[in-house]
Amino acid sequence: MVTMQQVLGALEGEVLYRGRNFDQCEVSFVVACDLMSDVLVVDVENILLVTSLVSRQSLKTAHLVGASGVVIVNNKTLPDDLVALAEELELSVIRTPCDKFKCCVVLGKLLGL
Amino acid sequence: MDIVALGSGNPPLLILELLIRLKVREVMSTHLITATRRDTLRRIQNIMKEMRITGVPIVEHRRLFGLVSIDDIINALENGTIEEPAEKHMSTHMVVLDENMPLSLAISYFRKFSFGRFPVLNKDNEITGILTSRDINVALLHELTLELDRMETRTVTDLKTDDLHMFKVYHVGKYDFENAGKASTDIKRFLKNRGVAASIIRRVAVAAYELEMNQVVHSDGGTITCRIEPAYTEIIAQDTGPGIDNVDEAMKEGITTANEWIQSMGFGAGMGLPNAKRVANEFHIESSREEGTKVRVLIRLNEQKEGG
């Protein structure tokens, strides 16, 4: 189990929206996926969604499965309306310059896999 | 002439969908003002003046022979041929549209050719109408107004809500990705406030979201009716069509009829119905061309699903 703060550090990321409890939020499982239908199939707690799909659906899907946060890879940023949505959903979103593979490798090491 | 600025960035999905859904026959003018081959250009000039139009198709027994445009009239006035019959001077090299073409294709014709109007023919090659850019503008405005009305009336009917019970009907619009997920988010929030276990909330939210997205992606619109009782949550998704041809196929994982732009948004992977079934304690689906599709999902709030 790691915290969002540790995730942020390991990925040399930047916070796009800091949800309440960001510092306490824990991550124990990573779902790296651009197909939101596949995210909805995962049935575990404390998910971190790693995706390159920047859309309302990515944030809503993460929210609905109770994800601890979302990592946007390849340093893509969120348009203003999606930052507003993240705020509405109280969902932490960070971005990282890593591509999806590198991001997964880093998170795998961090989680001790 | 760009009637719709399709070249500039990404047009809204709603507009794209409209342009593909609308057929030329639904947009064209069917009130035809025509002349015959023997009519003089003078007579056609008078028709144009009276009716305030800029082109007259030359038609006999619903068969199209040519088109006299205002340019042809100007030429005739210059050359002193205005008293001659239309057949000698009409344009016979015409581009015509098929009445069943989607509007998107017709718009590309306006761009490709410099004509201000296109005669429209049916499958028997009879003229059934004429399409101008004005017709397209009027039709699009009309359709967009309807669409806006529909969006504004997108409502949630709250039938009964207190601390333990909730009974609401959510209206879901076709291709309304903007609002997709509202019902699921609302249901999730209610259960969370009631202190239901996170793993059960997730199952309810996933079922509601899958059913909601199914309606957005595949149906002509519908409703999500949610009843939350102390012991269970029941979600009924009822749409207005077009129905599922093969329910058994739709229940298989990975089978999808979604198109590319839906998949580009991360949906339409063919997981929706199987996934809703996976998280449910009870699952029932019925579908027909006449009645649309109805899915009922029940999730008990006080027990975990075996293996789930």
Side-chain angles (χ1 to χ4, degrees):
Chain A
M1 194 86 92
V2 297
T3 64
M4 279 298 281
Q5 194 61 50
Q6 284 173 283
V7 169
L8 182 68
L11 292 175
E12 294 170 4
E14 177 191 341
V15 177
L16 297 175
Y17 178 73
R18 181 182 290 266
R20 279 194 302 262
N21 308 328
F22 183 89
D23 300 328
Q24 290 85 45
C25 241
E26 287 175 328
V27 172
S28 53
F29 195 83
V30 174
V31 182
C33 204
D34 296 332
L35 195 54
M36 294 305 122
S37 306
D38 285 352
V39 179
L40 291 169
V41 179
V42 179
D43 198 13
V44 281
E45 303 283 322
N46 303 322
I47 297 172
L48 179 69
L49 174 63
V50 173
T51 187
S52 57
L53 184 73
V54 179
S55 73
R56 298 185 78 77
Q57 277 67 41
S58 333
L59 300 190
K60 283 181 184 174
T61 306
H63 170 71
L64 283 165
V65 296
S68 304
V70 177
V71 176
I72 313 269
V73 295
N74 297 331
N75 239 357
K76 290 189 194 177
T77 194
L78 285 186
D80 290 347
D81 60 325
L82 291 192
V83 175
L85 180 65
E87 195 175 342
E88 186 189 323
L89 300 174
E90 262 310 313
L91 181 68
S92 296
V93 184
I94 63 180
R95 69 166 171 177
T96 170
C98 302
D99 61 29
K100 206 190 291 168
F101 176 72
K102 185 165 180 214
C103 182
C104 290
V105 171
V106 171
L107 291 172
K109 285 180 184 160
L110 188 65
L111 285 165
L113 299 178
Chain B
M1 171 179 42
D2 263 10
I3 293 163
V4 175
L6 290 178
S8 60
N10 294 324
L13 293 172
L14 181 71
I15 304 268
L16 275 187
E17 196 262 328
L18 260 180
L19 292 178
I20 290 167
R21 178 167 58 81
L22 283 174
K23 301 292 180 266
V24 166
R25 69 182 132 76
E26 299 169 87
V27 177
M28 67 188 187
S29 310
T30 51
H31 177 66
L32 284 171
I33 299 156
T34 64
T36 65
R37 282 176 290 176
R38 291 173 176 237
D39 283 326
T40 61
L41 293 176
R42 173 76 71 198
R43 181 174 142 70
I44 293 172
Q45 183 199 358
N46 287 333
I47 292 176
M48 286 181 175
K49 205 167 149 191
E50 256 173 60
M51 308 306 290
R52 296 177 158 218
I53 53 177
T54 55
V56 176
I58 305 303
V59 176
E60 289 168 34
H61 306 293
R62 302 196 73 183
R63 201 179 140 208
L64 177 68
F65 288 93
L67 195 83
V68 173
S69 70
I70 209 150
D71 288 344
D72 298 323
I73 296 292
I74 291 170
N75 288 336
L77 286 169
E78 274 181 5
N79 303 332
T81 55
I82 194 74
E83 302 300 341
E84 293 186 3
E87 63 182 332
K88 281 185 77 177
H89 300 283
M90 65 191 184
S91 319
T92 51
H93 290 287
M94 290 172 294
V95 179
V96 296
L97 303 178
D98 183 306
E99 63 175 6
N100 289 317
M101 263 184 193
L103 193 55
S104 52
L105 194 57
I107 287 176
S108 72
Y109 276 60
F110 275 94
R111 281 194 178 156
K112 202 163 153 192
F113 305 99
S114 58
F115 305 127
R117 69 200 67 72
F118 290 94
V120 181
L121 305 185
N122 65 13
K123 62 178 179 7
D124 299 322
N125 277 330
E126 295 168 331
I127 185 165
T128 51
I130 193 155
L131 187 73
T132 64
S133 49
R134 183 175 181 276
D135 296 324
I136 296 177
N137 289 337
V138 169
L140 279 182
L141 264 181
H142 176 73
E143 291 292 327
L144 287 174
T145 309
L146 287 182
E147 199 63 33
L148 272 178
D149 274 353
R150 192 192 56 70
M151 283 178 171
E152 281 173 6
T153 53
R154 189 194 149 101
T155 48
V156 180
T157 314
D158 191 346
L159 299 171
K160 179 188 169 199
T161 300
D162 57 37
D163 289 349
L164 285 175
H165 309 80
M166 181 177 116
F167 189 24
K168 282 189 186 180
V169 182
Y170 304 87
H171 295 259
V172 178
K174 181 181 188 176
Y175 295 159
D176 187 3
F177 286 93
E178 180 75 18
N179 287 302
K182 271 200 176 161
S184 333
T185 309
D186 196 37
I187 294 166
K188 181 181 168 169
R189 189 178 301 129
F190 181 88
L191 290 173
K192 198 173 174 188
N193 289 342
R194 236 190 67 183
V196 174
S199 59
I200 289 179
I201 293 180
R202 190 167 55 241
R203 283 170 46 211
V204 174
V206 165
Y209 195 41
E210 293 282 18
L211 296 179
E212 214 181 337
M213 287 310 295
N214 256 346
Q215 287 192 342
V216 170
V217 170
H218 295 294
S219 82
D220 299 330
T223 54
I224 300 281
T225 305
C226 177
R227 175 193 291 274
I228 300 177
E229 296 289 336
Y232 65 86
T233 296
E234 180 193 57
I235 300 164
I236 295 176
Q238 169 78 63
D239 67 41
T240 54
I244 301 173
D245 276 333
N246 189 334
V247 172
D248 290 340
E249 277 292 297
M251 289 306 299
K252 287 185 191 162
E253 299 191 347
I255 301 289
T256 184
T257 55
N259 59 29
E260 265 178 37
W261 65 261
I262 288 166
Q263 297 192 340
S264 74
M265 281 179 275
F267 284 88
M271 301 297 291
L273 288 172
N275 201 26
K277 186 176 181 180
R278 184 182 60 85
V279 296
N281 293 105
E282 291 175 26
F283 180 94
H284 180 75
I285 180 168
E286 53 195 75
S287 185
S288 71
R289 286 271 159 207
E290 298 75 31
E291 310 269 318
T293 302
K294 181 178 181 178
V295 184
R296 176 181 172 274
V297 163
L298 187 134
I299 294 168
R300 285 191 271 278
L301 300 179
N302 44 16
E303 61 180 280
Q304 294 291 343
K305 193 182 176 187
E306 273 176 44

